[in-house]
Amino acid sequence: MTITASRLTKRFGDKAAVDGVDFEVGESEFFVLVGPSGCGKTTTLRMIAGLESIDDGELRMNSVVVNETRPRDRDIAMVFQDYAIFPHLSVHENIAYGLRSRRLASSVIRQRVPDAAATFRIEHLLRRKPRQLSGGERQRVALARALVRDAQAYLYDEPLSNLDAQLRHQAREDILALHQRQRKPTVYVTHDQSEAMSMADRMAVMRSGRIEQVGTPRELYENPVSTFVAYFIGTPSINLFQATLRAEVEDVWLEAPAFSLRLPPSRARALAGHVGGPITAGIRPEDLHPPRQAPFEVGEHNTMTARVDLVEPTTAGSTVYATMPGPAGDLDVAASFGARLPDRFVGQEVPLAVDLEKVHLFDAVTERSVLVDARAA
Ligand SMILES: Nc1ncnc2c1ncn2[C@@H]1O[C@H](COP(=O)(O)OP(=O)(O)O)[C@@H](O)[C@H]1O
Ligand SMILES: [Mg+2]
């Protein structure tokens, strides 16, 4: 099955919570809706489930419009954010609940419940009551209960937000492993971009009821259509600088009070209409390197200098937080190095080599990329 949303809209009063969103979820695709709190993720999911009426636009399953189809007839399983499991029922009965209400034979139930419990490693807890479980175990009961039955599609609303980091990683893997077995269209909602990036086949970044961009995690990371998407995706966040473009013979230079970078032809070509004007430059921390470790030739045309304020060790190396002088105070810049930067550099000025092939450029007024064609993206 596929799920298609066309101009899907939901209003509460005169405010559109979901404002004409378009996306398609393929046969066995794991599709993630991600965005800040209040951007319309839950409302979108509830419209797919049939729990919220659709004010405008169309929702199709395969090619059939299901706007008016009752939730039960859509045959969709959903894991809710505030996973309410029944406190008076055992783990076994909680998981069996959806199967009983669908009147499955008890022989089927006896077989499926332990299977689902095993998927989430709670098979030893089947006789317990929820109050005898940890938060992580209760979460896995909720997942098993929603996912025990074969549905046409699966929806998840921030199912891991109440778990601590380690359990969250484990649960992500469990959900993806289950998806590999089911191969059904899945829509997974989260506000956590790193969760989205690590789980999605494709993802949609939402903002104020609209979809800002849809694509694979890699496409959104490498070719964000707007400063919003660029800033939302990646940790630490992309460095954004106000700059101007200056043409000099064949070359285009990106000029800011603290640096001057010569853009490569791949970047310069798209910029004809912007020369002389203000531009927002985006440089990911991963694209700033210590000159001697840069995977490209380093010169004055691709180096900026910043004073190190803080060095934070990471698993891969270190994140360096530094500042450069700006017109209205210091400009912050973060750089992710593949190696440890020794503490003695704190307070020192260090050169940062910029991978110019990866510089992002946005119209300073519209905040849209001048490199990525939004229609093509
Ligand atoms: N039942 C409702 N009545 C009125 N406003 C609502 C209702 N549900 C959601 N909203 C509003 O719609 C917007 C989107 O909410 P929601 O879909 O829950 O966002 P998200 O899940 O992305 O945090 C928010 O501004 C929220 O306050
Ligand atoms: Mg929500």
Side-chain angles (χ1 to χ4, degrees), residues 111-365:
Q111 186 214 329
R112 287 244 194 119
V113 171
D115 272 3
T119 301
F120 292 100
R121 285 164 290 101
I122 47 173
E123 63 271 43
H124 55 298
L125 304 174
L126 286 172
R127 297 155 69 100
R128 294 219 197 146
K129 292 281 178 60
R131 69 182 140 74
Q132 300 168 299
L133 304 175
S134 71
E137 289 164 345
R138 253 178 258 154
Q139 179 68 29
R140 302 211 291 274
V141 174
L143 287 166
R145 185 182 64 180
L147 306 173
V148 64
R149 66 188 186 83
D150 291 319
Q152 288 300 311
Y154 293 85
L155 308 178
Y156 296 83
D157 191 359
E158 312 222 22
L160 310 183
S161 44
N162 298 323
L163 299 184
D164 62 45
Q166 204 169 354
L167 286 171
R168 203 152 63 217
H169 274 277
Q170 185 62 58
R172 277 184 206 179
E173 282 167 32
D174 293 342
I175 289 169
L176 288 177
L178 186 69
H179 175 70
Q180 289 304 324
R181 293 215 307 270
Q182 296 164 329
R183 306 303 300 165
K184 290 287 166 58
T186 298
V187 184
Y188 185 100
V189 159
T190 178
H191 66 272
D192 177 348
Q193 61 87 24
S194 72
E195 193 164 291
M197 295 290 280
S198 71
M199 296 181 83
D201 291 326
R202 285 188 313 134
M203 59 200 266
V205 175
M206 290 189 73
R207 176 193 198 183
S208 316
R210 302 209 170 144
I211 288 180
E212 188 91 352
Q213 188 171 8
V214 183
T216 63
R218 193 185 173 134
E219 282 165 354
L220 270 56
Y221 178 85
E222 290 181 351
N223 294 310
V225 296
S226 62
T227 53
F228 181 82
V229 175
Y231 196 79
F232 189 73
I233 285 173
T235 345
S237 283
I238 195 168
N239 301 292
L240 295 173
F241 303 109
Q242 297 313 314
T244 49
L245 292 173
R246 180 173 61 81
E248 189 187 282
V249 200
E250 301 275 88
D251 297 324
V252 178
W253 288 78
L254 184 65
E255 304 275 7
F259 59 81
S260 192
L261 301 168
R262 189 180 68 217
L263 295 173
S266 67
R267 273 19 197 171
R269 220 174 291 127
L271 297 174
H274 296 270
V275 169
I279 200 115
T280 302
I283 303 176
R284 294 210 179 271
E286 299 82 1
D287 299 327
L288 291 166
H289 304 268
R292 279 162 57 193
Q293 279 144 30
F296 47 82
E297 241 180 85
V298 179
E300 259 185 41
H301 69 286
N302 62 359
T303 304
M304 49 173 65
T305 304
R307 196 189 62 242
V308 176
D309 295 325
L310 178 71
V311 180
E312 207 175 76
T314 61
T315 45
S318 50
T319 302
V320 175
Y321 295 94
T323 44
M324 300 183 290
D330 284 351
L331 295 174
D332 293 326
V333 58
S336 299
F337 289 171
R340 281 282 160 89
L341 186 74
D343 280 341
R344 66 188 153 80
F345 283 97
V346 173
Q348 306 282 313
E349 302 243 313
V350 297
L352 300 170
V354 184
D355 190 344
L356 293 173
E357 295 288 347
K358 297 188 178 156
V359 168
H360 304 269
L361 297 163
F362 305 94
D363 186 302
V365 177

Side-chain angles (χ1 to χ4, degrees), residues 41-43 81 157-158 189:
K41 305 180 297 294
T42 295
T43 306
Q81 183 168 16
D157 191 359
E158 312 222 22
V189 159

